[in-house]
Structures are given as structure tokens and as C-alpha cells.
Amino acid sequence: MQEIEKNQKKPLIVAFCCNWCSYAGADLAGSSRLSYPAEVKIIKVPCSCRVNPIFILKAFQRGADGVILCGCHPGDCHYSEGNYRTRRRMGLLFSMLNYFGIEKERTRIEWVSAAEGAKFSAVMNDFAKTINELGENRRLEDLRCKD
Amino acid sequence: MHRIGVFVCHCGSNIAATVDVERVSNALAHEPGVVHSVNYQYMCSENGQQLIKNAIKEHNLSGIVVCSCSPRMHEATFRKTAEAAGLNPYMVEIANIREQCSWIHKDVEEATEKAIVLARTAVAKLTLNKPLVAGETGVTKRALVIGGGIAGIQAALDIADAGYEVDIVEKNPTIGGRMAQLDKTFPTLDCSACILTPKMVDCAQHEKINIYSYSEVDKVKGFVGNFKVTIKKKARYVDETKCTGCGVCMTNCPSKKGLNSFNMDLNTRPAIYIPFAQAIPNVAVIDPEQCIKLKSGKCGLCSMKCGANAIDYKQQDSFVEREYGAIVVATGFKPISLENFNEYGYADNKDVITSLELERLMNAAGPSKGTLVRPSDGEHPHVITFIQCVGSRDVSGCGKPYCSKICCMYTAKHAMLIREKYPDTQVNVFYIDVRTPGKNYDEFYRRAVEQYGVNYIKGMVGKVYNENGKLMVQGSNLIDNEQVTIASDLVVLATAIEPDPSVKDLATKLTISIDTNNFLTEAHAKLKPVECATAGVYLAGVCQGPKDIPETVAQASAAASKVIGLLAKDKLKGNPCVAHANEMTCTGCSQCAEVCPYGAITYENKEFRIGGGKTEKRRVASVNPAVCQGCGACTVTCPSGAMDLHGFSSAQILKEVEAICKR
């Protein structure tokens, strides 16, 4: 019984990856067979700057335990400057979440290029480890949204 | 309402070995909106695609989800499949259950669960997909080649021969690049200038080729088929149209102490110079740092002596804006700086030289007219020691982790040429490994050892120091397991090569990616070796990775064929996943236009009916779909939520978040 409960409480991690660098980096991690925990689920966006803070709030509201954003390295953005906007925007959002009592560590931005499969896997392993240590996140969970 | 079909691919055993595909297709069959769910061995095969087409028709599907490999691999394939069956190609979503699931997880239970979630997420997104139609744009039938070395020259000639206009932008005063500096080329030992200069002349004379020498790419705007490039023509203080290249100015210039970079700074040149005799264009250039007239206002000798009246001290940098359909990047390489390698004594001893310096010393047009002499005293060296892998295959952080690929072969070439010309010379080579893959390459190296008696020593060099005028090379001989010290007259360092430093800036301008060693990244390491992730930009030569001349030429021709294929099209299909504004909620605040990197957003005053027969004029945003590249920056900036992105709408992404977070 305890075992089942443990399984049900497996953490949930949403990873937003930009199409040009990080999603390709995730593909490279896959084709290099570099594993990372199954709780990481990827959503593809054209650029990290497509990620609206609302998407992240929604994820936490729906019970995500961690949200990670991956984009091209600064200076390498496919759209020239999208990731700079992401960096500014998310800096603000993350400090606000922290103020709400959602630990800073539950959110993260990482720059992963298309050639960095190993980095993608390492980043996801590390993030999942952090989220596991932090445990379940119920802070923003909206009871009205429960199925 | 929705009539969604789900197709789960086994990918042979790539997916099926770790994901229970049967369970995935069964689980998805019960998802709301899904009317058909099957699994099959190879969805991308002809039979697999036929299965999808049949299902679309038979079940009157409104959209399909293919659970397979990465969309980067087969999204285009399945979009075509859907289109062939009468479905809009953008009613297709891919659940990446191979790269993101079966390949990285071992536990079948865990992988199957994840595959189901990924498939559900794709279905959730698909319920909000809308049919999209790609717009068409015209193609500017002209190509830009950045870099005028052998890669750029070959690419330009191939494109021009196919009938398209080509501009070459070269930052130096002449085209020719590194190959022009070489003496002989391996493995056939033909003279570099003899095979290169005719191609340079071909470029200059080709009616379709236009050379912008002493120029740089300043700005790049636009996208595949329609790039707008600003070229900066640096002031050369000589009117290109008038200069005849006679060289009278060079002999009369009183300021003769400038270092001759074409000869690797081994000798000097005047302030007004033509880099080398066969330069294209054969036009002089003034070094403003060295010219007495430009620095102090006094002199003007060259202008007085110039019969063509070509000298123009008032010339300024000028800018040209040109349009191109495609761009080839061929910016080449430079040897690394040796400041981290004090052990070889390069900075302290004139007779420790790099291989490229040796090329100039051995070249008949070089500083010593082809006679091999020591730079310090002009004497003929009797013992020459080569050190390979200087900065290559170096994981210590001082040099480069990669193999520079060309050094083993050119060192064998140098050793052979020296032994041929000066049989009394003793030639030693310290090496870690000798790498000679390539047609007739190993035979070439063995000739150096067996026929020319070059003394190859397996081992690394720890130190080079000067003792009574001799260069003592201290290293290890791993075969005999002993320390050796060789008293040498000349030491040649096979220096690692790295991409030309200009490439970093250029990569940012072209929005193409570079790797940790500053090499440009190709779209696919095996299947798209000359393409970039940015459409319409192609790579040739060492800017993409170390390679020798035959490989560079092959890659340049490959890049050219891609360019020709692109320019042959009259219309290009655009990306329909672009931004659009909801005019009902747009307040005309301009914030979206401020963040748009492409200037795709403009404003218009439109009349709207507001009831009671009245109308009101409001300022609303309007997106030019041909210019928008679909990054989505505007959608997040928009305070009223009026901006959204086709294919990645806020509602779609929120649906995906919900589907993933559903426990």
C-alpha cells in the first residue's frame, strides 16, 4: 500500500524546450541514450521567449512540482534576441514565485545547444534530483481545478 | 466533433522494446475525440503511410497524432502523408516517444506510462489545431558567398556556372585565402598557386561573379529566399576602378616597415601594397596605421607617382545593400595563438616557427625566395625537428580538444620536400599518432619514412630551449622507452587550427549556431552536413570543422548544389506558424512591434462597428506573415492577450500543460 502511494506521488516536471537548440539537444540526448528521469515531460515551443509566465503558473496550479525552461545560449538565439527576453522575464517571475512561497529551486532556466545532448541529460537529472529533495509542491494547487 | 486518429509506431524494436505499443494504442483509443487508434511496425514506411492514408479516408479523420521518432525526423513526412489523403498538413501532431522515451528509459512500465502521457498531450494539443495554409514568397536569384578562400571560390564558381549571380565578400584585400599562402599541396605535391590562381582568375572574369574584396558583412536581415545584407566596403584609399596594379606606388612608398601578414610577418612590406603578385583584384591598398600621409598629412609620394591617378586619401568606408536568396559561409581558419605553449619557446626563439611560416619560407614567392633558411641568421639549417599536435588533441585547456586533421599530412609533406631539396638535412618528427585516412594519404606518409628517410619519433616534446645557438628539443621516445634531446637548427610546430575569429560575430548576424570550439554547426551531422538550422544558409570549408583541400572543395560544391536547388525555385513555401492579432482586443499599444526582431508588425487605423449604426476608428496591430518568423516574442509581451501564434497558440500550450499535469 505504501509502495503504491509512493508511486502516485512521483514528482511531475514540465520542461519547455525551444525548437532550435534545446529540443534538438534533447533529441541528441535520446539518440546518445543518455537517460534522465521519466517524470520530465517536454513541451516544444518555437523559442524560449514564447513561454508566457501564465504557462508556468498554470503548471504549478495543476500540480507540477518543477518547471524548467531551456533555450539557446545567449547570443545564439535562432531569432536573434528571444532568449534575452526570456532571461529578463523569467527572472522577474521566479522571484515573484519565490515570494509566493514556491521555492526558487522549483524553477530554472538552462541554455542547452543542439550539440549538448550530454548537458541536456545532466541538467534534467540534476533538476529532477532537486525536485525530489524538495518534495511535493501544493502551494499553487487550485482545489477547484481538481478532477 | 473531433475525429482524431492515433498511430503508434514500433520503429522496429527501437520503440517497441521498451514501450508496450499495444497498451499505448489501446489507452489512446479511449481518449475523448479519438475515434481510431492503431500501432504498426514502421509508420514511416510506404505501408505505414498507406495505413494512415486509408484510415484518414475510412474514418473521416479530422486530425492525426503519430507517436514515433522526433518531429525533427519525420514530421515533414507525416504532414505530406496527411496532405496526400486530403487532410491539412498542420492537422498533424507528433508524440516523440523514441528520443524522449524509449531510448532513454529502460523500465517498460515507466516508459509505457510516459509514452501514454506524451501521446495524450499531443491529442490535447491537436484538438485546438486549425488548418493552416503556408504563404508563398518569391526568391531573389542571387547568392552571397562569405569568404573568398578555396571554399568560397569553388562555391561561387559552381553557383555562377549554373547561371545565377554570386557576390563574394572577402575581408582581405584579395581572394585566395589560406590556400594562396601554401607552397605545395599533399598528396600530389602540386604547387598550390598553380592550381588556385586559375580559379581566382575565373572568379574575376566570370560575368555572374562580383567580388567585394576588403569588405565585411555588416548587417543581415530577412530570411531564406529574401535576405537583405549590408556589406561594408572598408576604405582602401585606392580607387579600384582606376588602379592597374602596376606596383609603382609600392616601390616609391617611403614607409616600408609594415609586417607582411601574407608572409606570416616574416618580412616587411610598404604602407601601400598588393598582398601578392597574383592577387585578385590586383589593386593596391593602403594600411592607414602605417601610411605617413594618412597619419601626419605629409608625404603623398604614391599619389604623385601613380600614373592612373588612383590614390584617394579621402576615401571612406562605404556601405552597399544587396538582396540574396541564399548565403554560403566559408570563413576558413587561422592557426591558434601559441601564448599558452611557452615550453616550445616560440616567442623567444626566432628559429622556432609554425608550419604556415615554413610554407612561406619554402615558397618561391616567399621572403627567402624559396631557399630554406633560418629566420635568425639566414643560414641553411642542417637538423630540422617537427613537433606535431601543438595545441591539437589537448584536453588540458591550453589548446583544442579536437584533431586538426591536416597536420600529419602537411608535416609529412614538409619533411619530404626538405629531404628532396636538401638531402644532407636531418629531419625528425615527434608525433603522438600519425593519422592518414584519405585516398593515397597513407602511401604518401610511408614514402616520407621509407623513401625519404624521415626520422619519426613516437613521443611528446616537453621542452625546447636554446643552448649555444642550438635549439635543444627534449622529448620522449615511447618505442625505445627513453628520453631524447635533439640539437636542432630549426624547430617547426604543427600548430592546431581554429575557425577564423570573425565567425563568432557572423554567426550572431546570421542566427546560426556555433559549437564550443567556435565551429559552425550543421543541421545534421550525417544527413545535412552543409545545411544550417537556419534555412537558406549553407556551410563550406573549415568554418564547419577541420578539413583538407579536397574535402573543402567537395563540401563547397555540395553547398553550391544546395544553393542552386534553392534558387531554381520561383516560389518558396513560407512557415504558416506565424503571429496574428485579434483586432477586437488589440489596443494598439505598440509593445509587440517593439519586441519583434523582424519588424513584421505594423499598425493601421481601422474602422469597427460598435453598434447603433456607429463606427469607431481604432489603431490595431497587423502582422506581415511573409516577414514574421514565428518566434512568439510578441505573444508574451502583448498586455491584452490579442497576439497569438498559429501552431503554438496559448490555448494549445496550456492544453499541453494540463495534459501533462493530469495525474
Side-chain angles (χ1 to χ4, degrees), chain B residues 280-299:
Chain B
I280 299 279
N282 193 12
V283 171
V285 55
I286 295 179
D287 179 349
E289 299 293 309
Q290 194 192 336
C291 173
I292 301 167
K293 173 80 179 174
L294 287 172
K295 274 168 74 181
S296 68
K298 292 172 201 142
C299 187

Side-chain angles (χ1 to χ4, degrees), chain B residues 214-233:
Chain B
Y214 210 46
S215 301
E216 281 165 19
V217 169
D218 185 53
K219 280 192 207 101
V220 182
K221 281 187 195 160
F223 46 90
V224 57
N226 295 282
F227 292 104
K228 276 196 184 68
V229 179
T230 311
I231 297 163
K232 176 182 168 189
K233 293 179 74 179

Side-chain angles (χ1 to χ4, degrees), chain B residues 8-28:
Chain B
V8 185
C9 179
H10 300 196
C11 194
S13 63
N14 280 308
I15 293 172
T18 19
V19 170
D20 184 344
V21 283
E22 192 68 31
R23 236 179 85 195
V24 176
S25 60
N26 286 342
L28 266 292

Side-chain angles (χ1 to χ4, degrees), chain A residues 10 27 35-36 40 50 89, chain B residues 70 104-105 637 648 663:
Chain A
K10 256 198 162 177
D27 274 357
S35 77
Y36 52 87
V40 177
R50 175 66 188 94
R89 233 173 238 157
Chain B
S70 168
I104 48 165
H105 305 312
T637 301
F648 295 94
R663 300 229 192 195

Side-chain angles (χ1 to χ4, degrees), chain B residues 373-525:
Chain B
V373 291
R374 283 158 50 112
S376 63
D377 54 11
E379 292 292 315
H380 168 66
H382 296 283
V383 180
I384 302 176
T385 303
F386 288 85
I387 304 172
Q388 291 211 222
C389 287
V390 174
S392 295
R393 306 170 68 195
D394 182 337
V395 288
S396 71
C398 293
K400 303 290 174 185
Y402 50 84
C403 167
S404 294
K405 203 169 182 178
I406 53 175
C407 325
C408 286
M409 283 301 286
Y410 69 58
T411 298
K413 172 188 78 177
H414 290 153
M416 207 187 277
L417 288 171
I418 291 169
R419 291 280 299 156
E420 167 96 25
K421 212 167 168 185
Y422 309 100
D424 61 326
T425 315
Q426 187 200 329
V427 177
N428 312 295
V429 178
F430 278 95
Y431 69 98
I432 307 178
D433 294 298
V434 174
R435 297 179 164 181
T436 54
K439 190 175 172 182
N440 295 329
Y441 282 14
D442 203 56
E443 294 89 324
F444 182 82
Y445 152 67
R446 291 214 338 245
R447 253 171 69 207
V449 179
E450 291 160 11
Q451 202 176 322
Y452 287 90
V454 178
N455 179 28
Y456 270 77
I457 307 162
K458 187 175 175 74
M460 289 169 83
V461 170
K463 202 175 171 190
V464 177
Y465 58 96
N466 197 322
E467 197 175 271
N468 304 326
K470 284 273 179 190
L471 292 166
M472 310 303 282
V473 182
Q474 207 175 65
S476 50
N477 181 337
L478 294 180
I479 306 284
D480 297 339
N481 199 16
E482 59 178 17
Q483 289 294 315
V484 285
T485 304
I486 298 176
S488 314
D489 301 315
L490 187 69
V491 173
V492 185
L493 308 177
T495 314
I497 56 171
E498 65 180 349
D500 191 88
S502 63
V503 82
K504 265 186 116 168
D505 209 26
L506 191 64
T508 309
K509 285 173 185 161
L510 291 166
T511 68
I512 54 179
S513 40
I514 50 175
D515 68 15
T516 45
N517 296 312
N518 290 343
F519 287 112
L520 295 169
T521 312
E522 62 282 5
H524 189 285

